[in-house]
Every structure is written in C-alpha cells, then in structure tokens.
Amino acid sequence: MDTLAQLTQEHGALRILLERIEAAAEARDAVALGASLQVARTALTADLDAHILVEEAEAFSPIAETLGAGLVAPFYEEHVEIRATRDDVYARLEHDEAPYEQTLRLCDLILAHQQREDLMLFPNAREAVFR
C-alpha cells in the first residue's frame, strides 16, 4: 500500500472513533465523553503523532518540492493546532472536567483537515508527485 493510501485509511479509522467522541460531546454526556476519549487516547496521541510525522515527511515534503510549499503550509499549521487542542482536551479531562467545547473543536479540526487532504491534497499529489 502506498503512503497516501495508508494515510487515507488511517483517517477512516480515526473518523470512527471521532464520531463517538463527537456524539458524546454534543449530548453533553460527561461519562460517555470521558469513556470515549479514554478509548481513543492512544489513537489521538501516539498514533496521531506518528501519523502526522509520516504525513509531513513522506507526503508534505515531496508535495512542497513539486507543487510549492504554499500548498501544504496550511496543513502544517493545522497539525500544530490539532495537537494543541488535543493536549488541552486531555489536560482538562485529567482535571475531571468535561471539555465539551474543546472536544467539539478538536473533532471539527481533525475532520475538516482529513477531508481536505483526502478530497483535494492527496488526489492532486497523486497525479503530480506520486505517479
């Protein structure tokens, strides 16, 4: 499986977890939110950080070299925002808070980011860079 296909597949797996998390946050169900965030902890921390490293090294770098750094600059910036928001969510959870708004923001950030990658960036990169 090529890198872009792997990254897209990982997006799909994370989306499944985010649906439960988002539903719990929208319902303002503190117990379900805490449980769903705990279930997804590894996926949203170590796995997400590893995913971002692969994305930046094996996808964004070649895309920037071929199509220009401006195309991927917003994606790098979003990675920083996603990590900071994720860290805030888990810090609040550790302090027995129910971080509803922060969690909804995290879900929105990740889902919008993935959608732009899967529907715009990766298909264009596949044609221009990864032929």
Side-chain angles (χ1 to χ4, degrees):
M1 177 182 315
D2 69 42
T3 300
L4 297 180
Q6 173 191 337
L7 293 169
T8 298
Q9 184 178 40
E10 290 173 5
H11 289 171
L14 186 56
R15 269 193 299 274
I16 293 167
L17 294 171
L18 291 175
E19 288 172 3
R20 288 188 211 133
I21 293 168
E22 188 174 42
E26 287 174 346
R28 301 263 195 237
D29 184 336
V31 173
L33 179 60
S36 61
L37 284 167
Q38 290 302 346
V39 166
R41 183 180 283 272
T42 299
L44 285 170
T45 56
D47 294 350
L48 181 60
D49 289 344
H51 173 92
I52 288 171
L53 287 174
V54 169
E55 216 168 56
E56 291 179 352
E58 296 182 29
F60 293 1
S61 288
I63 293 168
E65 289 172 15
T66 305
L67 301 175
L71 182 63
V72 293
F75 294 95
Y76 281 108
E77 292 168 10
E78 289 168 2
H79 283 170
V80 171
E81 187 175 6
I82 287 167
R83 285 185 188 136
T85 304
R86 183 249 348 249
D87 292 346
D88 182 45
V89 164
Y90 281 104
R92 289 173 185 267
L93 194 63
E94 293 300 317
H95 289 98
D96 294 322
E97 292 181 40
Y100 302 120
E101 296 308 318
Q102 296 84 357
T103 299
L104 291 172
R105 176 77 179 131
L106 178 62
C107 290
D108 286 345
L109 286 169
I110 293 172
L111 293 170
H113 179 83
Q114 288 178 341
Q115 185 176 33
R116 282 192 310 283
E117 286 177 340
D118 293 342
L119 298 178
M120 186 272 298
L121 184 63
F122 293 168
N124 289 332
R126 187 175 305 288
E127 289 180 24
V129 180
F130 299 100
R131 297 182 236 205

